[in-house]
Amino acid sequence: MQTRFLLLPVAALTISVPAQATVYLSVAQAQALMFPGQTLSAAPLTLTDAQAAQIEDRSGVNVLSRQLHAWKASDGGWFIADQVVGKHEFIPIALAIDGHGAVKDIEILEYREAYGDEVRNPLWRGQFTGKTAAAKLQLTGDIQNISGATLSCKHITDGVRRLLVTYEIALASH
Amino acid sequence: MKSRWPVIERAKPLLGTTVHIRVGGLDQPRAHAAIDAGFAAVCAVQAAMSFHDPQSEVSRLNRMAHLGAVAVSPHTYAVLARAAAIADKSNGAFDITTAPALVARGHLPRPQGAPEPDPYASGHDIILLPGHYVRFARPLWIDLGGIAKGYAVDSAIDALRRFQPRQAVVNAGGDLRVFGPACERIGLDREDGDPAVVELADGALASSAARRNGPHIGCSEPGFVSVAAPSCADADALTKVVLALGRQAAACLSAFAAHAFTAAPHRDWQTIGA
């Protein structure tokens, strides 16, 4: 194990650049991973006012978009691509439901949570002072990993609960 | 991660947080198979050790181990053994038997079907027997939340390595482990002072931030701690030792080849055990 500790100078914190999203999977890639070898048929639909109200009531989670991006799998399962509200941003997720209406798998399609904006931004350049070295170091690469206060995934599990209720109300009978 | 290698990353909600797995140097099908294996390893640890899941081995121990020896998986047994070693070297500052206090403060739910814990019970009442059997000498509640997330990360790295990636990082909500020849840069996301960056190769880093009346029992004062150690299970557990003991944790950190970066609110960073 090797470690080196670098302190970021206060001056660097005044630079504000938008955090970039990291794309993990496209919808097609997620479908191939979550339903390998199966045929998925697009079955998009628009929720009615009544359905949206019912979903909010039963899940306790707000319905922010009436558009449901759903695909039915040949084994009776369903694939839904949706967004959940994170701490700072919307997070696109994919949910796979099996033929019995239970969660089969969840994938995060893109990660945008910019906690520690200044630290995470890959475009950022700054001057660093090593802990013991007198010379200033130039950071030319990315900081691709964050360690800090643990963020709960409750926003994702709340979103999944909303989508399971959405499945029961709008998709299960298809 | 070096851009000359293909790099593939995925994330799922697990362990109560978001778990990211990133691999470099494998083509897409092999990378996804490796990442699938990594997530499966995390799920297995979660299923065995979750305090919240009544079907987990931890829940089964809390319900029954005071009545007689209970068989557990090698994973759970290994974590209990490691927790005992860290408790010993930290003179009890790391303690997996604080669940009753956490339940009383509302940080954990009451375990279903478990007996009232003996108020005098401690880690010494957890008896590890041959054949991966565990017995409690008194009724007590164990909570592996201070070490299991790190162990899940180690487990995922072990699963990933069988696919021979050039580089891999598993990050479970800030508890992370790096495998491979390259250094990874890790931003230490502290809310109340200058952020810092740790460059880490072939090791693990875990961070904890303690607040007053927060879930860290025995924490001496609010602050932010990051521990670098060869394994993520050790790094995870040792953050609690440093939160409790501050500079007095130096000997314990050294015993596990670890060191810590700490910061009190609005104060400068310090290192312990380096």
Side-chain angles (χ1 to χ4, degrees):
Chain A
M1 177 177 77
Q2 303 157 50
T3 64
R4 190 163 69 136
F5 179 89
L6 304 167
L7 193 62
L8 302 180
V10 175
L13 303 180
T14 61
I15 300 168
S16 114
V17 189
Q20 291 195 349
T22 308
V23 177
Y24 291 151
L25 295 170
S26 66
V27 166
Q29 286 174 319
Q31 289 172 337
L33 279 172
M34 295 165 110
F35 291 94
Q38 290 205 41
T39 309
L40 294 174
S41 313
L45 60 90
T46 306
L47 298 170
T48 64
D49 288 354
Q51 285 174 324
Q54 226 186 334
I55 291 164
E56 290 187 345
D57 194 51
R58 274 170 55 179
S59 69
V61 183
N62 286 341
V63 173
L64 296 174
S65 167
R66 300 294 175 82
Q67 300 309 313
L68 192 60
H69 305 285
W71 286 257
K72 187 156 186 183
S74 36
D75 68 356
W78 284 86
F79 175 98
I80 304 175
D82 204 89
Q83 303 217 45
V84 301
V85 183
K87 194 173 172 188
H88 301 115
E89 304 275 356
F90 285 101
I91 300 175
I93 65 163
L95 171 66
I97 299 174
D98 69 19
H100 306 287
V103 174
K104 195 168 107 144
D105 201 1
I106 304 167
E107 291 277 352
I108 296 169
L109 298 179
E110 290 180 32
Y111 206 67
R112 301 170 179 169
E113 285 293 6
Y115 49 106
D117 276 281
E118 322 85 359
V119 177
R120 183 153 179 92
N121 190 349
L123 297 179
W124 184 81
R125 295 269 191 272
Q127 297 280 324
F128 291 85
T129 308
K131 189 172 79 73
T132 55
K136 289 192 177 153
L137 304 168
Q138 190 84 29
L139 181 73
T140 55
D142 300 348
I143 298 168
Q144 290 212 318
N145 310 282
I146 304 285
S147 185
T150 302
L151 291 189
S152 149
C153 62
K154 183 176 183 299
H155 48 300
I156 298 178
T157 49
D158 282 351
V160 168
R161 185 168 73 251
R162 169 176 55 79
L163 289 174
L164 285 173
V165 171
T166 303
Y167 160 83
E168 282 168 21
I169 287 169
L171 298 177
S173 52
H174 283 50
Chain B
M1 203 168 284
K2 295 277 194 292
S3 59
R4 64 172 177 270
W5 302 326
V7 173
I8 292 178
E9 182 168 356
R10 279 167 44 200
K12 287 180 191 277
L14 285 167
L15 303 173
T17 185
T18 310
V19 180
H20 298 250
I21 299 183
R22 189 161 73 240
V23 297
L26 294 176
D27 62 31
Q28 278 213 20
R30 204 158 162 76
H32 283 299
I35 292 171
D36 283 344
F39 281 127
V42 171
C43 286
V45 172
Q46 177 172 271
M49 297 182 214
S50 167
F51 189 89
H52 302 266
D53 178 359
Q55 309 300 322
S56 74
E57 293 184 344
V58 162
S59 294
R60 206 148 44 83
L61 289 172
N62 288 341
R63 281 196 300 273
M64 299 182 339
H66 66 296
L67 299 171
V70 175
V72 297
S73 64
H75 285 312
T76 300
Y77 195 87
V79 170
L80 289 172
R82 199 60 171 175
I86 296 173
D88 182 57
K89 288 287 188 209
S90 67
N91 295 320
F94 184 71
D95 184 354
I96 60 171
T97 66
T98 59
L102 293 170
V103 170
R105 289 191 194 181
H107 295 299
L108 286 176
R110 199 188 160 76
Q112 296 174 25
E116 279 307 301
D118 184 322
Y120 297 103
S122 74
H124 298 295
D125 295 306
I126 301 171
I127 317 295
L128 300 183
L129 301 165
H132 300 133
Y133 281 87
V134 179
R135 186 173 68 82
F136 293 167
R138 307 172 195 243
L140 58 90
W141 297 346
I142 60 164
D143 161 39
L144 297 180
I147 185 171
K149 189 156 16 121
Y151 186 85
V153 168
D154 291 328
S155 216
I157 286 282
D158 287 345
L160 281 169
R161 286 176 63 171
R162 294 186 204 119
F163 293 81
Q164 299 180 312
R166 287 297 305 261
Q167 186 87 357
V169 180
V170 176
N171 186 341
D175 289 2
L176 62 93
R177 180 146 163 208
V178 176
F179 163 76
C183 265
E184 293 282 332
R185 288 195 183 86
I186 303 155
L188 301 187
D189 185 26
R190 179 190 166 189
E191 290 176 352
D192 56 5
D194 293 348
V197 171
V198 172
E199 290 185 336
L200 174 70
D202 205 27
L205 189 89
S207 302
S208 280
R211 284 165 279 282
R212 294 195 192 285
N213 299 318
H216 294 105
I217 305 290
C219 171
S220 58
E221 56 186 55
F224 185 98
V225 171
S226 292
V227 171
S231 78
C232 200
D234 288 356
D236 193 4
L238 290 167
T239 60
K240 286 75 185 175
V241 175
V242 178
L243 283 172
L245 301 180
R247 296 228 143 255
Q248 309 306 314
C252 182
L253 287 167
S254 295
F256 295 96
H259 51 277
F261 311 106
T262 72
H266 310 291
R267 297 282 177 84
D268 291 341
W269 288 93
Q270 306 203 340
T271 55
I272 305 175

